[in-house]
Amino acid sequence: MDNPLSNFPGYLLRRASKSRMAQLSQHLEPLGVGVSEGSILVLVGRNPGISQAECGRMLSIKRPNLNPIIRRFIDRDLIISTKGQGRIQCLNLSESGKALAKRIMAEFEAQEARIHEAVPEHLRDELVPLLRALWWSE
């Protein structure tokens, strides 16, 4: 069977992304988080005191989608939310949040290693710059 889309870069990027995200999701599932949730915890851990709005902007998560995730993390004692200036909510990880973020980051790093392993060695140095060029040229 011939797939007429198999030579389209956009199609291939989407298929590769979906495949690798599904693989990462399987590795994060035992930790009780999805890819977006794990990304939030890692970002907050790397940027203590980040505002909820900035977290959403950096990860391209809209406020209506981010709010319930943050609420669940607060309820699970993973994130501590404090009031900043005005209506700003500042986010920090609790001790259990820090421990979980460390485990999530290890899974992210392992996934990146799996991706690099799948790329022919002579192309590995070009992978990230090419993807950044596609993303940042919007």
Side-chain angles (χ1 to χ4, degrees):
M1 185 89 33
D2 182 39
N3 183 347
L5 305 175
S6 65
N7 287 318
F8 290 6
Y11 175 78
L12 294 171
L13 278 169
R14 186 175 63 80
R15 293 295 302 262
S17 176
K18 285 183 71 134
S19 165
R20 294 304 169 156
M21 285 292 133
Q23 184 181 50
L24 178 57
S25 291
Q26 289 177 337
H27 289 272
L28 291 175
E29 188 177 352
L31 301 179
V33 296
V35 175
S36 293
E37 293 170 328
S39 299
I40 292 166
L41 289 172
V42 167
L43 182 67
V44 171
R46 191 63 60 92
N47 300 279
I50 188 172
S51 73
Q52 187 167 327
E54 185 62 22
C55 180
R57 275 191 296 277
M58 288 182 77
L59 296 174
S60 297
I61 302 173
K62 294 184 189 299
R63 182 183 298 173
N65 298 329
L66 182 61
N67 287 343
I69 297 170
I70 298 298
R71 172 79 357 230
R72 282 194 305 272
F73 284 156
I74 291 169
D75 291 344
R76 290 176 59 191
D77 190 35
L78 297 172
I79 282 185
I80 299 164
S81 177
T82 57
K83 189 158 177 52
Q85 292 183 342
R87 298 172 58 188
I88 295 174
Q89 292 296 310
C90 298
L91 306 175
N92 289 285
L93 295 182
S94 66
E95 289 305 315
S96 57
K98 289 176 185 176
L100 181 56
K102 186 176 180 179
R103 294 175 63 198
I104 291 167
M105 190 61 174
E107 290 298 340
F108 283 177
E109 290 169 348
Q111 179 66 12
E112 295 307 306
R114 288 187 289 271
I115 290 169
H116 278 279
E117 293 271 326
V119 173
E121 191 170 347
H122 70 283
L123 298 174
R124 289 178 188 163
D125 290 342
E126 300 302 317
L127 180 61
V128 171
L130 285 171
L131 292 172
R132 281 187 180 145
L134 288 171
W135 178 28
W136 292 349
S137 67
E138 298 175 337

